[in-house]
Amino acid sequence: MSTLRNRPDAMFFDLDGTLFQTETLLLPAYYATFDVLREKGLYEGETPPEERILGALGMLLEHIWERVMPEASLEARRAADELLLKFQMEGLQQGQGVLYEGVAETLQALHDKGIRLFVASNGLEDYVKHVVEAQGIGHLFEDLYSAGKYRTRSKVDLVKIALDTHGIRSAWMVGDRSSDVEAGLKNNLTVAACDYAGFREAGELEGAHIRIRSFAELLQHV
């Protein structure tokens, strides 16, 4: 049963695991990255299980690589950063990557209601910008906020910058990880937790005001 809430002035959306089915672009790039790391002598052994990087989605990049390859050198992690982005950009150009079902239509409906839409992601600036453009939804967003661009240490800070910059008084935070819930609660926003990507760990979405099983369900609450 839907719980109708006051319509917000704006909504902030996480990207990976919320709007974008990250694994459809990430995993081919992930395996290609480790092939090159081995060729360069920066990594030995088998590619770490893909569950490691999928479980780290939503973290800052430096924390992702600490989790994926804790024994690797700083040089190897920096090379992995560059390679993963390179292969993902190439993948986007080749048409890899898809949105979750109903994302484009739901964003359009929210936009038509006069709600201001923003992306708030812990990803790199080029990654966020190119994914949004490649998926044909860039025109629906007023602005894109990424940790890579603003050098923020948490999504709490990233969302606060956006709120202050645009003079937003009421907003929702929509995302699938604990960093999204924290960003919403600490900025006094309504939190809509997306429980369909499968990347989260137990208890991550505690504290959210709304939990949705598909992106289109968001419309039932506005």
Side-chain angles (χ1 to χ4, degrees):
M1 186 173 174
S2 67
T3 52
L4 208 59
R5 292 173 174 268
N6 290 334
R7 183 181 302 176
D9 295 334
M11 286 189 177
F12 292 91
F13 297 93
D14 172 50
L15 182 61
D16 294 322
T18 298
L19 304 177
F20 186 59
Q21 290 191 48
T22 316
E23 67 274 22
T24 59
L25 176 68
L26 173 68
L27 291 180
Y30 179 70
Y31 287 107
T33 292
F34 277 93
D35 287 344
V36 175
L37 289 175
R38 279 188 288 265
E39 288 172 14
K40 290 178 177 287
L42 292 171
Y43 190 83
E44 295 180 358
E46 296 295 312
T47 299
E50 59 190 43
E51 289 76 19
R52 284 194 198 172
I53 195 159
L54 291 176
L57 290 175
M59 295 180 181
L60 296 168
L61 269 175
E62 62 190 87
H63 299 148
I64 289 177
W65 293 119
E66 285 170 6
R67 173 175 173 147
V68 170
M69 43 180 185
E71 307 303 322
S73 67
L74 186 59
E75 182 188 5
R77 291 178 190 165
R78 285 177 175 164
D81 261 0
E82 294 174 5
L83 289 166
L84 188 70
L85 180 63
K86 171 182 175 286
F87 287 126
Q88 285 180 314
M89 294 302 99
E90 291 175 0
L92 284 172
Q93 290 172 356
Q94 294 162 11
Q96 292 177 10
V98 296
L99 299 171
Y100 286 102
E101 184 179 357
V103 165
E105 299 85 351
T106 302
L107 289 174
Q108 184 66 61
L110 294 168
H111 185 268
D112 291 346
K113 289 175 180 285
I115 297 171
R116 303 164 70 184
L117 308 181
F118 299 85
V119 167
S121 168
N122 275 336
L124 292 170
E125 180 182 10
D126 280 351
Y127 171 79
V128 171
K129 182 172 67 174
H130 282 94
V131 167
V132 168
E133 288 176 357
Q135 297 303 318
I137 56 176
H139 65 289
L140 297 172
F141 292 102
E142 189 169 328
D143 210 343
L144 308 176
Y145 283 80
S146 64
K149 180 177 181 178
Y150 289 92
R151 299 284 184 257
T152 44
R153 303 300 301 165
S154 78
K155 193 169 285 190
V156 176
D157 298 334
L158 187 66
V159 171
K160 186 177 190 313
I161 290 170
L163 290 167
D164 292 345
T165 300
H166 295 275
I168 295 166
R169 295 187 176 183
S170 72
W172 289 19
M173 180 69 222
V174 184
D176 70 309
R177 301 304 301 265
S178 59
S179 57
D180 301 308
V181 176
E182 180 189 32
L185 295 179
K186 290 194 174 177
N187 283 294
N188 298 312
L189 310 184
T190 293
V191 178
C194 302
D195 198 5
Y196 46 76
F199 303 143
R200 68 174 179 82
E201 296 174 2
E204 275 201 74
L205 303 181
E206 293 301 318
H209 303 97
I210 298 164
R211 192 174 295 207
I212 57 176
R213 302 280 180 182
S214 70
F215 193 79
E217 275 183 43
L218 204 53
L219 292 172
Q220 298 174 19
H221 299 278
V222 183

